[in-house]
Amino acid sequence: MAGRLEGKVAFITGVARGQGRSHAIRFAEEGADIIGVDLCADVPNVPYPMASRADLDETVALVEKLDRRMVAHVADVADRAALQAAVDDGVAQLGHLDIVLANAGICALGDYPPEAFFQAIDTLLVGVFNAASVAYPHLRDGASIIATGSVAALIPGATDGPSTGPGGRGYSYAKRSIAQYVRELSLTLAPRMIRVNALHPTNCNTDLLHNEPMYKLFRPDLESPTREEAEQAFPVMQAMPIPYVEPIDISNAALFLASDESRYVTGLQMRVDAGSVIKQLPESL
């Protein structure tokens, strides 16, 4: 039986580990070839190590183990020229482009300088703009563009409170802006049957969640909370009694949006949030 993405090529940013790697593997399982980029370098003011070149190489190996092809480049999503070169090379090798998944992300909450705000905007928002822009000339009619948002876009105060600092404000602004961007771009590209949707996860079990400032956000009563202590508080975010979702939960939702099963789904703000928004905003739909 043919896979749900058989014959398609997907461009994924932030592909070296976490949600990005999960997306690449899940798409490859369903028959897609992958163009992938990652920064593969640490970012100032981000409180956890970023993915490495070895991580990116491992993602390539995992995709190839599924008998799919992957063209990988080290590139900063904020650098449009570098992103353009990566996509152009990938299309030259793989032949075409059908799916864009703008996933690259950072989160720097806490007492950081104002530069943390700009860094968040560059990666989380400019990175989405750039991914869609450089991919668009290659996209065929009926293509799918997916942007990773966050419930932070939908719940005021989730990451932009007084304790989250400039990085938190940048994160929240970027994710809110992605929601609006998806709406406007979906209207713009609808005549070509190109779908544009956003995925808004709640806390997800990746390095972006598991770091000291994030633990402190959830356990301000403790000076240096451990992962175990933070996980006691994580479920307060969701209506369902879980601490977080897994990357595969986001990947399965992305797979639907990438596949022809969603051919008439566009402008959607899809929440994979275990009921976070309806719990925190009871009046929301």
Side-chain angles (χ1 to χ4, degrees):
M1 183 182 296
R4 295 159 70 186
L5 301 181
E6 197 72 34
K8 295 185 183 293
V9 176
F11 169 47
I12 304 173
T13 67
V15 77
R17 71 179 186 199
Q19 290 184 47
R21 174 186 286 176
S22 178
H23 301 334
I25 293 170
R26 189 70 186 94
F27 285 14
E29 289 174 341
E30 293 292 339
D33 293 325
I34 308 297
I35 303 168
V37 300
D38 209 293
L39 179 63
C40 298
D42 287 342
V43 177
N45 304 312
V46 173
Y48 53 90
M50 304 300 288
S52 66
R53 180 62 204 233
D55 292 322
L56 181 58
D57 291 342
E58 185 177 351
T59 298
V60 173
L62 290 167
V63 168
E64 292 178 343
K65 188 176 180 180
L66 295 166
D67 200 27
R68 305 313 309 169
R69 296 175 293 170
M70 180 168 175
V71 178
H73 284 268
V74 174
D76 185 349
V77 293
D79 182 343
R80 183 173 294 201
L83 216 56
Q84 183 79 68
V87 171
D88 289 350
D89 179 56
V91 172
Q93 293 191 50
L94 301 178
H96 55 90
L97 184 59
D98 308 276
I99 301 157
V100 179
L101 208 176
N103 162 81
I106 60 172
C107 189
L109 306 183
D111 186 18
Y112 294 104
E115 286 80 3
F117 178 91
F118 299 110
Q119 290 164 342
I121 298 301
D122 283 348
T123 299
L124 300 166
L125 185 56
V126 175
V128 171
F129 294 164
N130 286 345
S133 179
V134 302
Y136 178 73
H138 299 290
L139 292 178
R140 303 189 287 189
D141 289 358
S144 174
I145 299 173
I146 306 161
T148 300
S150 170
V151 294
L154 309 174
I155 302 174
T159 53
D160 56 356
S163 65
T164 60
R169 284 189 291 273
Y171 185 92
S172 296
Y173 176 79
K175 296 301 189 180
R176 287 195 302 268
S177 299
I178 286 171
Q180 184 65 26
Y181 176 72
V182 159
R183 182 184 185 280
E184 301 304 329
L185 188 59
S186 66
L187 290 170
T188 301
L189 301 186
R192 287 193 55 199
M193 301 294 287
I194 295 176
R195 311 181 307 282
V196 187
N197 295 289
L199 279 171
H200 296 289
T202 187
N203 295 329
C204 187
N205 189 19
T206 68
D207 290 338
L208 191 146
L209 175 65
H210 292 297
N211 57 79
E212 185 176 347
M214 191 68 77
Y215 295 163
K216 184 68 174 175
L217 180 67
F218 279 87
R219 293 301 306 268
D221 57 311
L222 299 176
E223 184 175 348
S224 298
T226 64
R227 172 172 176 162
E228 291 72 23
E229 290 167 335
E231 287 184 345
Q232 296 171 10
F234 283 162
V236 73
M237 187 79 174
Q238 291 77 230
M240 294 178 173
I242 62 169
Y244 37 67
V245 298
E246 298 292 338
I248 188 61
D249 298 308
I250 315 305
S251 298
N252 286 332
L255 174 61
F256 167 71
L257 294 176
S259 74
D260 292 339
E261 297 163 15
S262 66
R263 61 180 181 163
Y264 299 136
V265 178
T266 196
L268 179 66
Q269 310 290 334
M270 178 181 278
R271 306 193 301 252
V272 185
D273 71 340
S276 293
V277 171
I278 58 173
K279 179 180 180 180
Q280 303 298 329
L281 299 175
E283 301 302 318
S284 65
L285 296 176

